[in-house]
Amino acid sequence: MHQRARSAEDKARRADDLLKAAEALARELGGVRYVTLAAVTERAGLHRTGVRRYYASKEELLLELAERSWGQWRDAIRSAAGDRTGLGPAQTAAVISETLVALPVFCDLQTHVTLYLEGDVDIDRARRYKTNSFAAHDEIATTLDRASTMTIEQIADLLAAAIMLAAGFWQVSHPTPTLAALYEQEPRWGHVALDFGPRLKGLLEACAVGLGSARSDR
């Protein structure tokens, strides 16, 4: 029998259970596009109508997951950078790419956030997402600024490139069943489903080195 959360602590725990269930399903099913509220509530052990007590819609649930994922990336960058200093452009890019590859649902969500998630919630929820995601971004930039030889402006540009590349590459690296079948029938197109991690790492390193060279040429 499903129990309704009675206290604020219980409600927070149930909300967190729903986020964990959504993230687990996204990993198992191959992307957030396949996640449904019915599956999330079942995984979390709640009645399917109970999710409305915690999130107004699937879009709000996934936006909350994206917001939390920004915090996870911030923490991963802090851990990877540690007390290191003097990281060159390629090393800085490696820290960024390796932490992104370890957060596949975050990479997947970046496409959906831009396309519809932040636009399909009310303005107060959108404002909270923007506030917290930008705060996490700025903390990431500050952490890398302390660890890297790159300037804060170059790091900001590199982070922008990282988000765009991770979002796009993740999608093409995880084709739908229809496209996967098509690539089997037409191998000449299969290269589109590129290897996410190595491609992201290589292009981010090239971008970082280019940004560093632009600085030295001034």
Side-chain angles (χ1 to χ4, degrees):
M1 180 177 179
H2 303 292
Q3 297 292 324
R4 177 180 293 189
R6 299 295 183 183
S7 67
E9 182 179 343
D10 286 341
K11 186 174 182 180
R13 179 173 55 80
R14 292 286 175 82
D16 187 60
D17 288 344
L18 289 165
L19 290 176
K20 290 177 179 176
E23 182 173 12
L25 286 166
R27 286 176 175 268
E28 293 170 15
L29 299 175
V32 298
R33 66 165 70 96
Y34 303 114
V35 174
T36 65
L37 285 182
V40 170
T41 52
E42 181 179 357
R43 176 66 64 91
L46 299 177
H47 190 277
R48 66 176 54 195
T49 61
V51 68
R52 303 295 181 180
R53 302 190 190 103
Y54 309 98
Y55 301 103
S57 63
K58 173 184 172 180
E59 289 74 23
E60 185 176 336
L61 170 66
L62 293 178
L63 191 64
E64 182 78 19
L65 183 58
E67 182 179 313
R68 187 171 76 164
S69 297
W70 270 102
Q72 292 172 336
W73 190 30
R74 175 202 60 214
D75 294 343
I77 290 284
R78 285 174 175 170
S79 178
D83 296 327
R84 300 163 73 185
T85 58
L87 297 180
Q91 293 171 305
T92 304
V95 169
I96 294 172
S97 62
E98 288 166 8
T99 51
L100 281 172
V101 169
L103 295 168
V105 176
F106 176 61
C107 296
D108 181 14
L109 279 165
Q110 293 311 300
T111 294
H112 298 277
V113 166
T114 303
L115 286 177
Y116 66 93
L117 291 181
E118 61 185 358
D120 286 354
V121 296
D122 65 51
I123 192 168
D124 289 334
R125 184 63 191 87
R127 179 181 290 108
R128 180 156 65 90
Y129 172 77
K130 288 293 193 184
T131 298
N132 292 332
S133 61
F134 274 118
H137 171 278
D138 291 347
E139 290 180 52
I140 289 169
T142 298
T143 297
L144 293 173
D145 185 40
R146 288 195 296 264
S148 176
T149 60
M150 300 179 74
T151 68
I152 190 67
E153 293 81 9
Q154 291 169 340
I155 288 168
D157 287 345
L158 187 59
L159 288 173
I163 289 295
M164 296 302 293
L165 290 172
F169 285 172
W170 196 95
Q171 300 303 326
V172 297
S173 299
H174 297 79
T176 63
T178 298
L179 285 176
L182 177 61
Y183 296 152
E184 287 186 5
Q185 296 173 14
E186 302 288 349
R188 68 185 185 278
W189 296 332
H191 70 280
V192 174
L194 51 85
D195 194 351
F196 174 63
R199 184 66 65 91
L200 178 64
K201 183 175 185 292
L203 285 178
L204 270 187
E205 287 183 2
C207 181
V209 170
L211 287 167
S213 297
R215 176 192 179 191
S216 63
D217 290 342
R218 290 175 184 171

